[in-house]
Amino acid sequence: MRCARFSVKAAQKISKTSTPKVYADYRKVLDDKEVDAIVIAVPLNMHYAIASEVIKSGRHLYLEKTMIYNIDQALDLVKLMAGRNKQVLQVGHQYRYSPLYYKVKDYINKGYLGKVIQVDCRWDRNSSWRRAVPEPSLERQINWRMYKEYSGGLVAELLSHQLDFINWAFDTHPTEFLAAGDIDLYKDGRETYDNVQVIARYGEQGMVGNFGATCGNARDGYLFKIKGTKGTVSLLTDQGMFYAEKDLLKERGLVDGVTGATKITWDKEGGVPILPEPTKDGTWYALKDFYEKVTTATLPDSNIYTGAKTAICVHLANQALYSTQPAYWKKEYSSIKA
Amino acid sequence: MERRAFLKSSSVLTGGLLTNQQTFAAEAGPLKVAIIGCGDRGKGIMYVLNDLPNLFKVTAVCDVLDFR
């Protein structure tokens, strides 16, 4: 059939050991007694309505990132989860669940990078970011990321992961956002920008974060560099390198302490791998941990509070982007904590 | 506070926990999961869930796009 690729029937066939029931209306899922936990992976503007009802139904929830579409919804969802200590809500920032990202958080917290001063992030491609549409009437449903009504564009879909990691690793949030961008290449009816750059000022930490994404150059692809006075961490999603600053290189013992290696092999640029081998896809670690948190009734690392903070950051970054005015973190957002 | 949070999260990566998980799975059985939204991401998650049959069983899938 024409829309096989997008059909729920195609999803049903993915299961090898069982045949899942098929529903068109999510409310029917909530009536199904054979459901302990729910994964929500719908367009961003629909997260709030569905997530609210799932939470009220008492089900555990794996809610795709970005957690929620706007700031009011973020604050509301935090309220709705209050007191539900045995119900797990995990937000799908999966990359930071890999052992690599935990290790980098450890490096940061132990001071191996010195004082972190700059963060550089990119998530670039050289293509339209569009999906093929089997018939024109499905355009807005399939290419929902192109429309402001449904999506926060490149910032929400891509840069949110790196914004979220920095918030979590440093237990902080940006205090101010500046941004620039436009629809510079694909004037195809889209509304979300295809070329964006966000500067985040981290007032509490004394750091500057640079978050960029474009649809017009793929050279950097995914880039994530965390730069401190003692060293730099350079990350892909599944592997990473540590580069010591010159002063640290002289203190060999300290470097040994950082890497835990008995024999250090520097690559030609003077870096050491953070882990010996690439990790699996972050989703694998994230879902294993979701199970663990459900069975032990504990708060996930990517939770309602960190998810709400990151959703607010995405919204403020987009506000700065579309208004070309700075956007500021408000004190009331800081009340979001466990 | 940060350090405590880290210690808590780093325990996730230690080997002991995996054994605990298997025990839980054996006792409690896999978690019954419904997927709401079966686009590329929803289906991608399903593939990972299917790779963890001791932990998860997908019992329902939901999407508006097959019923117009």
Side-chain angles (χ1 to χ4, degrees), chain A residues 269-291:
Chain A
E269 291 175 63
V272 278
I274 293 168
L275 290 177
E277 287 177 1
T279 61
K280 288 174 186 276
D281 181 82
T283 307
W284 188 84
Y285 302 100
L287 289 171
K288 283 196 82 150
D289 203 52
F290 179 63
Y291 182 84

PDB file of all heavy atoms in Angstrom, chain A residues 269-291:
ATOM      1  N   GLU A 269      47.252  14.187  16.753  1.00  0.00           N
ATOM      2  CA  GLU A 269      46.859  15.523  17.207  1.00  0.00           C
ATOM      3  C   GLU A 269      47.009  15.674  18.718  1.00  0.00           C
ATOM      4  O   GLU A 269      46.588  16.666  19.297  1.00  0.00           O
ATOM      5  CB  GLU A 269      45.407  15.796  16.803  1.00  0.00           C
ATOM      6  CG  GLU A 269      45.213  15.955  15.309  1.00  0.00           C
ATOM      7  CD  GLU A 269      43.737  16.092  14.972  1.00  0.00           C
ATOM      8  OE1 GLU A 269      43.122  17.072  15.418  1.00  0.00           O
ATOM      9  OE2 GLU A 269      43.200  15.198  14.312  1.00  0.00           O
ATOM     10  N   GLY A 270      47.570  14.660  19.388  1.00  0.00           N
ATOM     11  CA  GLY A 270      47.809  14.776  20.816  1.00  0.00           C
ATOM     12  C   GLY A 270      46.618  14.383  21.672  1.00  0.00           C
ATOM     13  O   GLY A 270      46.493  14.826  22.807  1.00  0.00           O
ATOM     14  N   GLY A 271      45.724  13.539  21.166  1.00  0.00           N
ATOM     15  CA  GLY A 271      44.539  13.153  21.927  1.00  0.00           C
ATOM     16  C   GLY A 271      44.580  11.714  22.383  1.00  0.00           C
ATOM     17  O   GLY A 271      45.299  10.884  21.822  1.00  0.00           O
ATOM     18  N   VAL A 272      43.805  11.421  23.439  1.00  0.00           N
ATOM     19  CA  VAL A 272      43.629  10.031  23.881  1.00  0.00           C
ATOM     20  C   VAL A 272      42.134   9.699  23.837  1.00  0.00           C
ATOM     21  O   VAL A 272      41.301  10.532  24.190  1.00  0.00           O
ATOM     22  CB  VAL A 272      44.138   9.797  25.326  1.00  0.00           C
ATOM     23  CG1 VAL A 272      45.624   9.593  25.338  1.00  0.00           C
ATOM     24  CG2 VAL A 272      43.732  10.911  26.257  1.00  0.00           C
ATOM     25  N   PRO A 273      41.812   8.474  23.410  1.00  0.00           N
ATOM     26  CA  PRO A 273      40.399   8.089  23.396  1.00  0.00           C
ATOM     27  C   PRO A 273      39.844   8.033  24.820  1.00  0.00           C
ATOM     28  O   PRO A 273      40.536   7.587  25.738  1.00  0.00           O
ATOM     29  CB  PRO A 273      40.388   6.694  22.772  1.00  0.00           C
ATOM     30  CG  PRO A 273      41.770   6.407  22.324  1.00  0.00           C
ATOM     31  CD  PRO A 273      42.697   7.389  22.958  1.00  0.00           C
ATOM     32  N   ILE A 274      38.607   8.457  25.002  1.00  0.00           N
ATOM     33  CA  ILE A 274      37.980   8.429  26.327  1.00  0.00           C
ATOM     34  C   ILE A 274      37.562   7.001  26.685  1.00  0.00           C
ATOM     35  O   ILE A 274      37.690   6.580  27.820  1.00  0.00           O
ATOM     36  CB  ILE A 274      36.785   9.408  26.359  1.00  0.00           C
ATOM     37  CG1 ILE A 274      37.325  10.841  26.223  1.00  0.00           C
ATOM     38  CG2 ILE A 274      35.974   9.267  27.647  1.00  0.00           C
ATOM     39  CD1 ILE A 274      36.271  11.879  25.942  1.00  0.00           C
ATOM     40  N   LEU A 275      37.070   6.257  25.715  1.00  0.00           N
ATOM     41  CA  LEU A 275      36.776   4.838  25.901  1.00  0.00           C
ATOM     42  C   LEU A 275      37.503   4.056  24.801  1.00  0.00           C
ATOM     43  O   LEU A 275      37.692   4.570  23.706  1.00  0.00           O
ATOM     44  CB  LEU A 275      35.261   4.567  25.813  1.00  0.00           C
ATOM     45  CG  LEU A 275      34.373   5.075  26.948  1.00  0.00           C
ATOM     46  CD1 LEU A 275      32.900   4.783  26.646  1.00  0.00           C
ATOM     47  CD2 LEU A 275      34.760   4.456  28.287  1.00  0.00           C
ATOM     48  N   PRO A 276      37.883   2.812  25.082  1.00  0.00           N
ATOM     49  CA  PRO A 276      38.654   2.062  24.087  1.00  0.00           C
ATOM     50  C   PRO A 276      37.879   1.727  22.815  1.00  0.00           C
ATOM     51  O   PRO A 276      38.461   1.593  21.742  1.00  0.00           O
ATOM     52  CB  PRO A 276      39.039   0.778  24.834  1.00  0.00           C
ATOM     53  CG  PRO A 276      38.151   0.703  26.028  1.00  0.00           C
ATOM     54  CD  PRO A 276      37.741   2.101  26.351  1.00  0.00           C
ATOM     55  N   GLU A 277      36.559   1.579  22.943  1.00  0.00           N
ATOM     56  CA  GLU A 277      35.761   1.188  21.776  1.00  0.00           C
ATOM     57  C   GLU A 277      34.516   2.062  21.663  1.00  0.00           C
ATOM     58  O   GLU A 277      34.032   2.583  22.674  1.00  0.00           O
ATOM     59  CB  GLU A 277      35.311  -0.277  21.910  1.00  0.00           C
ATOM     60  CG  GLU A 277      36.439  -1.249  21.691  1.00  0.00           C
ATOM     61  CD  GLU A 277      36.012  -2.692  21.900  1.00  0.00           C
ATOM     62  OE1 GLU A 277      34.821  -2.919  22.206  1.00  0.00           O
ATOM     63  OE2 GLU A 277      36.868  -3.564  21.749  1.00  0.00           O
ATOM     64  N   PRO A 278      33.972   2.202  20.457  1.00  0.00           N
ATOM     65  CA  PRO A 278      32.711   2.948  20.318  1.00  0.00           C
ATOM     66  C   PRO A 278      31.595   2.286  21.124  1.00  0.00           C
ATOM     67  O   PRO A 278      31.583   1.061  21.282  1.00  0.00           O
ATOM     68  CB  PRO A 278      32.393   2.864  18.818  1.00  0.00           C
ATOM     69  CG  PRO A 278      33.685   2.533  18.155  1.00  0.00           C
ATOM     70  CD  PRO A 278      34.468   1.730  19.153  1.00  0.00           C
ATOM     71  N   THR A 279      30.686   3.099  21.633  1.00  0.00           N
ATOM     72  CA  THR A 279      29.564   2.549  22.406  1.00  0.00           C
ATOM     73  C   THR A 279      28.438   2.125  21.454  1.00  0.00           C
ATOM     74  O   THR A 279      28.457   2.445  20.262  1.00  0.00           O
ATOM     75  CB  THR A 279      29.006   3.598  23.382  1.00  0.00           C
ATOM     76  OG1 THR A 279      28.523   4.709  22.629  1.00  0.00           O
ATOM     77  CG2 THR A 279      30.076   4.063  24.345  1.00  0.00           C
ATOM     78  N   LYS A 280      27.448   1.426  21.997  1.00  0.00           N
ATOM     79  CA  LYS A 280      26.231   1.136  21.239  1.00  0.00           C
ATOM     80  C   LYS A 280      25.425   2.417  21.074  1.00  0.00           C
ATOM     81  O   LYS A 280      25.725   3.434  21.697  1.00  0.00           O
ATOM     82  CB  LYS A 280      25.350   0.153  22.036  1.00  0.00           C
ATOM     83  CG  LYS A 280      25.839  -1.262  22.124  1.00  0.00           C
ATOM     84  CD  LYS A 280      24.876  -2.006  23.076  1.00  0.00           C
ATOM     85  CE  LYS A 280      25.329  -3.410  23.370  1.00  0.00           C
ATOM     86  NZ  LYS A 280      24.910  -4.366  22.334  1.00  0.00           N
ATOM     87  N   ASP A 281      24.330   2.319  20.340  1.00  0.00           N
ATOM     88  CA  ASP A 281      23.413   3.447  20.218  1.00  0.00           C
ATOM     89  C   ASP A 281      22.835   3.804  21.592  1.00  0.00           C
ATOM     90  O   ASP A 281      22.492   2.919  22.384  1.00  0.00           O
ATOM     91  CB  ASP A 281      22.282   3.075  19.253  1.00  0.00           C
ATOM     92  CG  ASP A 281      21.303   4.227  19.076  1.00  0.00           C
ATOM     93  OD1 ASP A 281      21.621   5.110  18.260  1.00  0.00           O
ATOM     94  OD2 ASP A 281      20.270   4.264  19.769  1.00  0.00           O
ATOM     95  N   GLY A 282      22.737   5.102  21.857  1.00  0.00           N
ATOM     96  CA  GLY A 282      22.276   5.566  23.163  1.00  0.00           C
ATOM     97  C   GLY A 282      20.908   5.021  23.573  1.00  0.00           C
ATOM     98  O   GLY A 282      20.640   4.820  24.754  1.00  0.00           O
ATOM     99  N   THR A 283      20.042   4.768  22.606  1.00  0.00           N
ATOM    100  CA  THR A 283      18.692   4.281  22.923  1.00  0.00           C
ATOM    101  C   THR A 283      18.732   2.958  23.682  1.00  0.00           C
ATOM    102  O   THR A 283      17.898   2.709  24.559  1.00  0.00           O
ATOM    103  CB  THR A 283      17.869   4.125  21.624  1.00  0.00           C
ATOM    104  OG1 THR A 283      17.930   5.359  20.905  1.00  0.00           O
ATOM    105  CG2 THR A 283      16.425   3.781  21.914  1.00  0.00           C
ATOM    106  N   TRP A 284      19.691   2.109  23.352  1.00  0.00           N
ATOM    107  CA  TRP A 284      19.825   0.809  24.025  1.00  0.00           C
ATOM    108  C   TRP A 284      20.081   1.004  25.518  1.00  0.00           C
ATOM    109  O   TRP A 284      19.420   0.405  26.368  1.00  0.00           O
ATOM    110  CB  TRP A 284      20.958   0.017  23.363  1.00  0.00           C
ATOM    111  CG  TRP A 284      21.082  -1.401  23.814  1.00  0.00           C
ATOM    112  CD1 TRP A 284      20.380  -2.477  23.348  1.00  0.00           C
ATOM    113  CD2 TRP A 284      21.982  -1.909  24.821  1.00  0.00           C
ATOM    114  NE1 TRP A 284      20.788  -3.613  24.003  1.00  0.00           N
ATOM    115  CE2 TRP A 284      21.761  -3.305  24.905  1.00  0.00           C
ATOM    116  CE3 TRP A 284      22.943  -1.322  25.655  1.00  0.00           C
ATOM    117  CZ2 TRP A 284      22.472  -4.119  25.784  1.00  0.00           C
ATOM    118  CZ3 TRP A 284      23.644  -2.130  26.536  1.00  0.00           C
ATOM    119  CH2 TRP A 284      23.403  -3.513  26.595  1.00  0.00           C
ATOM    120  N   TYR A 285      21.018   1.880  25.843  1.00  0.00           N
ATOM    121  CA  TYR A 285      21.323   2.155  27.258  1.00  0.00           C
ATOM    122  C   TYR A 285      20.139   2.854  27.934  1.00  0.00           C
ATOM    123  O   TYR A 285      19.812   2.577  29.087  1.00  0.00           O
ATOM    124  CB  TYR A 285      22.559   3.044  27.380  1.00  0.00           C
ATOM    125  CG  TYR A 285      23.803   2.489  26.741  1.00  0.00           C
ATOM    126  CD1 TYR A 285      24.216   2.933  25.481  1.00  0.00           C
ATOM    127  CD2 TYR A 285      24.571   1.520  27.373  1.00  0.00           C
ATOM    128  CE1 TYR A 285      25.356   2.429  24.886  1.00  0.00           C
ATOM    129  CE2 TYR A 285      25.716   1.007  26.782  1.00  0.00           C
ATOM    130  CZ  TYR A 285      26.105   1.464  25.535  1.00  0.00           C
ATOM    131  OH  TYR A 285      27.230   0.966  24.946  1.00  0.00           O
ATOM    132  N   ALA A 286      19.511   3.766  27.196  1.00  0.00           N
ATOM    133  CA  ALA A 286      18.409   4.551  27.782  1.00  0.00           C
ATOM    134  C   ALA A 286      17.231   3.642  28.142  1.00  0.00           C
ATOM    135  O   ALA A 286      16.636   3.781  29.209  1.00  0.00           O
ATOM    136  CB  ALA A 286      17.962   5.639  26.810  1.00  0.00           C
ATOM    137  N   LEU A 287      16.912   2.699  27.259  1.00  0.00           N
ATOM    138  CA  LEU A 287      15.763   1.826  27.528  1.00  0.00           C
ATOM    139  C   LEU A 287      16.082   0.808  28.622  1.00  0.00           C
ATOM    140  O   LEU A 287      15.222   0.472  29.433  1.00  0.00           O
ATOM    141  CB  LEU A 287      15.301   1.144  26.242  1.00  0.00           C
ATOM    142  CG  LEU A 287      14.622   2.098  25.239  1.00  0.00           C
ATOM    143  CD1 LEU A 287      14.382   1.411  23.911  1.00  0.00           C
ATOM    144  CD2 LEU A 287      13.312   2.641  25.798  1.00  0.00           C
ATOM    145  N   LYS A 288      17.325   0.308  28.653  1.00  0.00           N
ATOM    146  CA  LYS A 288      17.711  -0.586  29.753  1.00  0.00           C
ATOM    147  C   LYS A 288      17.562   0.131  31.091  1.00  0.00           C
ATOM    148  O   LYS A 288      17.091  -0.433  32.079  1.00  0.00           O
ATOM    149  CB  LYS A 288      19.167  -1.053  29.580  1.00  0.00           C
ATOM    150  CG  LYS A 288      19.324  -2.139  28.541  1.00  0.00           C
ATOM    151  CD  LYS A 288      20.664  -2.831  28.667  1.00  0.00           C
ATOM    152  CE  LYS A 288      20.612  -3.874  29.745  1.00  0.00           C
ATOM    153  NZ  LYS A 288      21.517  -5.008  29.514  1.00  0.00           N
ATOM    154  N   ASP A 289      17.968   1.386  31.107  1.00  0.00           N
ATOM    155  CA  ASP A 289      17.875   2.134  32.358  1.00  0.00           C
ATOM    156  C   ASP A 289      16.421   2.464  32.699  1.00  0.00           C
ATOM    157  O   ASP A 289      16.057   2.523  33.882  1.00  0.00           O
ATOM    158  CB  ASP A 289      18.714   3.407  32.281  1.00  0.00           C
ATOM    159  CG  ASP A 289      19.099   3.883  33.665  1.00  0.00           C
ATOM    160  OD1 ASP A 289      19.638   3.071  34.437  1.00  0.00           O
ATOM    161  OD2 ASP A 289      18.821   5.050  34.006  1.00  0.00           O
ATOM    162  N   PHE A 290      15.598   2.670  31.687  1.00  0.00           N
ATOM    163  CA  PHE A 290      14.168   2.896  31.916  1.00  0.00           C
ATOM    164  C   PHE A 290      13.574   1.698  32.656  1.00  0.00           C
ATOM    165  O   PHE A 290      12.856   1.850  33.650  1.00  0.00           O
ATOM    166  CB  PHE A 290      13.466   3.106  30.565  1.00  0.00           C
ATOM    167  CG  PHE A 290      11.979   3.324  30.659  1.00  0.00           C
ATOM    168  CD1 PHE A 290      11.451   4.420  31.328  1.00  0.00           C
ATOM    169  CD2 PHE A 290      11.089   2.441  30.049  1.00  0.00           C
ATOM    170  CE1 PHE A 290      10.076   4.629  31.401  1.00  0.00           C
ATOM    171  CE2 PHE A 290       9.717   2.637  30.117  1.00  0.00           C
ATOM    172  CZ  PHE A 290       9.208   3.730  30.797  1.00  0.00           C
ATOM    173  N   TYR A 291      13.909   0.514  32.197  1.00  0.00           N
ATOM    174  CA  TYR A 291      13.416  -0.701  32.863  1.00  0.00           C
ATOM    175  C   TYR A 291      13.883  -0.748  34.321  1.00  0.00           C
ATOM    176  O   TYR A 291      13.112  -1.041  35.235  1.00  0.00           O
ATOM    177  CB  TYR A 291      13.894  -1.953  32.117  1.00  0.00           C
ATOM    178  CG  TYR A 291      13.371  -3.234  32.728  1.00  0.00           C
ATOM    179  CD1 TYR A 291      12.115  -3.727  32.412  1.00  0.00           C
ATOM    180  CD2 TYR A 291      14.126  -3.940  33.679  1.00  0.00           C
ATOM    181  CE1 TYR A 291      11.612  -4.877  32.989  1.00  0.00           C
ATOM    182  CE2 TYR A 291      13.633  -5.095  34.269  1.00  0.00           C
ATOM    183  CZ  TYR A 291      12.372  -5.559  33.918  1.00  0.00           C
ATOM    184  OH  TYR A 291      11.884  -6.692  34.508  1.00  0.00           O
TER     185      TYR A 291
END
